[in-house]
């Protein structure tokens, strides 16, 4: 379910970015040629060094990678399998997939999204475990705790609200049933991962 949430989010983000002005996205030539011809030409041309700013390349892309990583980690995958997941999603689904309809894949994004994202994601994972163990309280505030958990793991939190409205119960045993992030070891293997469109 979380992978569907990521792909759905990527599709929405792609649509929004294609409507934004070119100077905001640096996506050139998104109109005109056949969309598949444009994708083929961009993939053939890339990867290239993009001209995105520091915030996009070194903050937003790593944050996206951390979100992808958390999606796998929260589903019970271990650190290495979560790294494989974020690498697959950021490389093939985004850079060589959806984003390639608008621009060539980026060398910076291929490196920062999975690797810095995985490091950030593991930090998010440990922080989320700690916050959940304290009944979602940060500085004695459940609201602050819930906001921080949402920012660290938005896909899992949204999918939990959509499919399991009692996921946020303070009862940790009930929480574990719906979100096995508390299973620190992670018994699932990457080979059992299934991504459908």
């Amino acid at each position: 379910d979380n992978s569907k949430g990521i792909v759905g989010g990527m599709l929405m983000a792609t649509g929004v970015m294609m409507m934004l002005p070119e100077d905001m996205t640096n996506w050139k030539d998104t109109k005109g040629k056949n969309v598949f011809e444009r994708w083929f030409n961009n993939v053939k041309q890339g990867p290239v060094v993009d001209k995105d700013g520091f915030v996009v390349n070194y903050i937003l892309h790593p944050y996206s990678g951390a979100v992808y990583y958390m999606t796998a980690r929260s589903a019970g995958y271990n650190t290495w399998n979560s790294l494989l997941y974020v690498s697959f999603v950021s490389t093939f689904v985004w850079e060589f997939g959806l984003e390639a309809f608008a621009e060539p894949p980026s060398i910076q994004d291929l490196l920062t999204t999975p690797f810095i994202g995985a490091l950030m994601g593991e930090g998010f994972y440990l922080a989320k475990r700690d916050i959940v163990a304290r009944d979602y309280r940060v500085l004695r505030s459940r609201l602050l705790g819930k906001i921080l958990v949402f920012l660290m793991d938005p896909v899992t939190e949204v999918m939990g609200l959509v499919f399991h409205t009692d996921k946020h119960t303070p009862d940790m045993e009930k929480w574990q049933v719906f979100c096995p992030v508390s299973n620190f070891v992670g018994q699932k293997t990457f080979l059992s991962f299934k991504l459908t469109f």
Side-chain angles (χ1 to χ4, degrees), residues 13-190:
T14 302
V16 168
M17 290 177 75
M18 291 186 109
M19 290 186 286
L20 290 173
E22 184 182 296
D23 60 343
M24 288 182 71
T25 63
N26 286 331
W27 283 7
K28 295 174 176 50
D29 193 27
T30 56
K31 296 181 175 71
K33 298 180 224 168
N34 175 294
V35 69
F36 296 106
E37 181 183 346
R38 196 164 57 235
W39 177 86
F40 179 80
N41 290 336
N42 285 335
V43 168
K44 184 178 172 185
Q45 180 184 348
V48 299
V49 174
D50 71 35
K51 293 181 171 66
D52 292 339
F54 179 86
V55 171
V56 171
N57 278 332
Y58 301 103
I59 296 175
L60 295 179
H61 273 279
Y63 174 74
S64 297
V67 169
Y68 306 154
Y69 180 92
M70 280 295 288
T71 298
R73 203 72 167 100
S74 293
Y77 292 94
N78 66 28
T79 53
W80 294 109
N81 292 331
S82 298
L83 175 60
L84 288 173
Y85 180 86
V86 65
S87 298
F88 173 80
V89 170
S90 64
T91 301
F92 298 106
V93 179
W94 184 250
E95 287 296 319
F96 283 92
L98 293 171
E99 193 175 40
F101 285 102
E103 67 180 11
S106 159
I107 291 172
Q108 299 101 305
D109 300 348
L110 289 168
L111 296 173
T112 62
T113 306
F115 298 113
I116 298 174
L119 290 172
M120 286 175 59
E122 188 62 18
F124 287 175
Y125 173 74
L126 295 172
K128 180 178 178 179
R129 280 173 45 93
D130 184 59
I131 293 169
V132 171
R134 288 185 282 120
D135 190 25
Y136 285 88
R137 292 187 191 281
V138 172
L139 302 174
R140 299 184 182 178
S141 168
R142 287 192 90 226
L143 176 62
L144 180 57
K146 293 224 179 216
I147 290 170
L148 289 174
V149 164
F150 176 80
L151 291 173
M152 289 185 282
D153 195 8
V155 174
T156 303
E157 294 301 305
V158 168
M159 298 304 281
L161 289 172
V162 171
F163 294 108
H164 305 289
T165 54
D166 60 346
K167 179 183 86 66
H168 294 287
T169 179
D171 180 347
M172 285 299 290
E173 287 183 12
K174 287 183 183 174
W175 189 82
Q176 289 172 346
V177 170
F178 297 115
C179 186
V181 69
S182 56
N183 178 2
F184 188 74
V185 176
Q187 299 299 314
K188 296 181 182 177
T189 63
F190 185 72

